[in-house]
Amino acid sequence: MIARNGIFITLEGIDGAGKSTHLAWLTQHLQQRYAEVVVSREPGGTPLGEKLRHLLLACPMHRETEALLMFAARREHLDQVIMPAIQRGACVISDRFVDASYAYQCGGRGLDEDKMKALEHWTVQDVYPDLTLLFDVSIAVAQHRLAANRELDRFEQEEREFFERVRNAYLERAACFPRRIRVIDAERPVSIIQEELEKTIASI
Ligand code: TYD
């Protein structure tokens, strides 16, 4: 077990839920409370992880290959970024973490959950977030936001049913871990969501 002097927060949600907008605000807000705020993302967060991200977002692959590469990137991310930062007392914010694998690879792609648990046990061990903010929107809203977006990556191009499954898997995770995962209704105006985030952060 690692010494946890810092705090670990993750952001989750289906593509188009508005994570990026809230990440920018949250970072500024947390910088007022913590001397060091480390912002990172998955897949990615390290030089190798970013190369794996590039492959994951562009190349068609078997769903097990996809899961293995996600966890390969995560192993590097934990070792090089997350664990050292938590140990030195930083506030770490990761744009996605292991819940995304349950949502996308198990929920979306139908990967066997026992395989996921084995990968999780092997890779994550006991480094779980103190708080996970799950930005939840309907598929219609998410797709509308994505349509206004730049070029879509391999995940963003998936059909509506895929995102329905991903969203449901996220909500099931939240029901299993109600203390850690906070579901944020992300269809409301940004300023209202920020008020809720402020209260949530104050409570940890
Ligand atoms: P995303 O945060 O959506 O990046 P951006 O906002 O720049 O588009 O992450 C990229 C994609 O990776 C996203 O569609 C979900 C997917 N993903 C998984 O399928 N499994 C995982 O474990 C992680 C971390 C991400």
Side-chain angles (χ1 to χ4, degrees), residues 153-192:
D153 66 40
R154 193 168 66 85
F155 290 94
E156 291 164 342
Q157 287 170 21
E158 283 293 340
E159 81 281 20
R160 192 188 171 89
E161 292 70 29
F162 175 85
F163 289 108
E164 298 274 10
R165 294 195 298 274
V166 172
R167 183 186 185 200
N168 289 339
Y170 264 134
L171 293 173
E172 277 169 28
R173 286 289 284 170
C176 288
F177 302 98
R179 281 170 58 89
R180 174 172 68 83
I181 305 180
R182 182 71 64 97
V183 182
I184 311 279
D185 172 359
E187 289 191 14
R188 295 169 301 165
V190 169
S191 60
I192 305 283

Side-chain angles (χ1 to χ4, degrees), residues 49 88 137 146:
R88 65 175 185 265
V137 292
L146 279 183

Side-chain angles (χ1 to χ4, degrees), residues 12-16 19-20 41-43 53 56-57 66 70-71 74 95-102 104-105 109 150 153 155-156 162-163 170:
E12 299 284 359
I14 60 173
D15 294 88
K19 263 184 315 100
S20 312
R41 68 173 179 180
E42 289 202 351
R53 177 188 178 91
L56 279 159
L57 297 195
E66 185 178 281
M70 289 289 177
F71 275 89
R74 183 163 295 134
D95 184 349
R96 301 193 185 281
F97 191 59
V98 76
D99 298 307
S101 296
Y102 275 93
Y104 281 80
Q105 278 66 57
R109 304 270 194 236
R150 46 181 168 77
D153 66 40
F155 290 94
E156 291 164 342
F162 175 85
F163 289 108
Y170 264 134

Side-chain angles (χ1 to χ4, degrees), residues 20-176:
S20 312
T21 309
H22 297 298
L23 175 63
W25 182 86
L26 203 63
T27 304
Q28 277 197 331
H29 182 71
L30 287 163
Q31 278 164 343
Q32 292 162 19
R33 286 178 58 122
Y34 295 91
E36 187 191 1
V37 177
V38 174
V39 182
S40 198
R41 68 173 179 180
E42 289 202 351
T46 65
L48 176 60
E50 290 295 325
K51 287 189 175 155
L52 293 172
R53 177 188 178 91
H54 183 73
L55 296 174
L56 279 159
L57 297 195
C59 306
M61 61 186 77
H62 189 283
R63 65 182 172 196
E64 293 189 359
T65 311
E66 185 178 281
L68 289 164
L69 290 181
M70 289 289 177
F71 275 89
R74 183 163 295 134
R75 187 69 195 90
E76 286 296 301
H77 193 211
L78 277 162
D79 186 55
Q80 299 201 12
V81 178
I82 299 175
M83 292 199 280
I86 294 176
Q87 277 167 336
R88 65 175 185 265
C91 169
V92 183
I93 313 173
S94 184
D95 184 349
R96 301 193 185 281
F97 191 59
V98 76
D99 298 307
S101 296
Y102 275 93
Y104 281 80
Q105 278 66 57
C106 292
R109 304 270 194 236
L111 183 83
D112 178 36
E113 210 160 303
D114 286 339
K115 289 184 177 160
M116 177 60 63
K117 283 192 182 137
L119 282 173
E120 179 186 22
H121 181 67
W122 185 17
T123 310
V124 179
Q125 293 160 30
D126 64 341
V127 190
Y128 277 91
D130 299 289
L131 173 69
T132 296
L133 299 167
L134 171 55
F135 294 93
D136 182 55
V137 292
S138 66
I139 309 302
V141 166
Q143 301 226 310
H144 182 73
R145 288 181 185 166
L146 279 183
N149 229 345
R150 46 181 168 77
E151 227 174 277
L152 300 181
D153 66 40
R154 193 168 66 85
F155 290 94
E156 291 164 342
Q157 287 170 21
E158 283 293 340
E159 81 281 20
R160 192 188 171 89
E161 292 70 29
F162 175 85
F163 289 108
E164 298 274 10
R165 294 195 298 274
V166 172
R167 183 186 185 200
N168 289 339
Y170 264 134
L171 293 173
E172 277 169 28
R173 286 289 284 170
C176 288

